[in-house]
């Protein structure tokens, strides 16, 4: 692994691996701390400090870095959008109770709709009850799946916009969808119609082979790079 530079995005992610001990010259191996899930010795929880944004800003921090190595555009769109809004809430001087309620909502969104290894505040705030490792599995399994990203938006007539999506995974009529636009504006609906690029109505689309593109109509414009997810 010496040729794989983690700082250049080439990490092989050994923290996600399950480990075992195999005695030399023996066929049988031993699972460390054996249980039904195996053992993930280096599998640290993901750091989530969105509830601490205001405290960190007050210390003089002027920039925050979001981990992006080996992350999908869907993960980054959600995390960067949520943190951007949390920072803006502070600088816009939103009322304390409104700010707290919204940040709790953003935290819950990240916790329940993204694939992650569980959340921790790490070592920054001295929370001894905050677990730092996830020994049970390598990741969470949310009930939402990334299914599209906006690549274009064209006004057809008043109150009608043709929004082009590049499909990831799959997209089908009657899917329950949620659109996330910058910074973190959400719209939920049930898909009743969509079209291919020739404006022929279709019932499903798939992301294989570079990603099929589809058109969905909206009453208002949608930002390019907004992301779409579907509920299982």
């Amino acid at each position: 692994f010496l040729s794989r530079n983690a700082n250049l995005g080439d990490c092989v992610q050994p923290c996600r691996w399950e480990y075992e001990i195999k005695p030399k010259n023996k066929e049988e191996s031993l699972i460390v701390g054996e249980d039904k899930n195996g053992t993930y010795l280096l599998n640290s929880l993901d750091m989530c400090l969105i509830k601490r944004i205001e405290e960190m800003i007050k210390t003089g921090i002027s920039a925050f870095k979001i981990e992006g190595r080996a992350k999908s555009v869907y993960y980054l769109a959600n995390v960067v959008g949520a943190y951007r809004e949390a920072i803006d809430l502070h600088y816009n001087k939103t009322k304390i109770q409104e700010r707290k309620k919204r940040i709790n909502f953003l935290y819950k969104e990240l916790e329940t709709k993204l694939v992650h290894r569980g959340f921790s505040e790490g070592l920054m705030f001295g929370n001894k009850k905050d677990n730092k490792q996830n020994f049970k599995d390598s990741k969470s399994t949310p009930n939402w799946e990334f299914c599209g990203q906006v690549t274009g938006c064209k006004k057809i007539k008043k109150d009608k916009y043709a929004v082009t999506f590049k499909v990831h995974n799959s997209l089908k009529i009657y899917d329950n969808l949620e659109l996330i636009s910058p910074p973190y504006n959400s719209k939920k609906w049930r898909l009743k119609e969509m079209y291919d690029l020739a404006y022929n109505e279709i019932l499903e689309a798939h992301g294989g082979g570079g990603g099929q593109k589809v058109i969905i109509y909206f009453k208002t414009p949608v930002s390019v790079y907004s992301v779409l997810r579907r509920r299982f």
Side-chain angles (χ1 to χ4, degrees), residues 88-154:
D88 290 344
L89 287 171
H90 169 77
Y91 284 105
N92 293 340
K93 301 187 184 301
T94 306
K95 292 182 180 180
I96 294 176
Q97 290 302 320
E98 292 179 13
R99 185 165 67 241
K100 184 177 180 180
K101 182 179 180 179
R102 182 63 181 175
I103 288 179
N104 285 338
F105 167 78
L106 293 171
Y107 178 93
K108 194 68 176 179
E109 289 282 284
L110 298 179
E111 184 181 40
T112 60
K113 296 180 179 178
L114 296 181
V115 174
H116 56 81
R117 292 177 285 177
F119 288 158
S120 167
E121 292 186 349
L123 304 174
M124 289 187 66
F125 296 94
N127 185 352
K128 295 182 179 180
K129 295 182 180 180
D130 183 7
N131 295 321
K132 307 300 186 291
Q133 298 287 119
N134 178 357
F135 296 110
K136 295 182 179 180
D137 49 43
S138 61
K139 61 183 179 181
S140 63
T141 306
N143 293 326
W144 292 85
E145 179 182 60
F146 177 36
C147 63
Q149 184 178 24
V150 176
T151 61
C153 180
K154 180 181 179 181

Side-chain angles (χ1 to χ4, degrees), residues 21-43:
I21 294 176
K22 187 173 183 179
K24 189 175 182 179
N25 299 323
K26 300 288 185 180
E27 293 296 327
E28 185 178 358
S29 61
L30 302 174
I31 302 297
V32 182
E34 182 179 358
D35 64 15
K36 65 179 181 180
N37 298 305
T39 301
Y40 297 83
L41 285 178
L42 304 178
N43 195 33

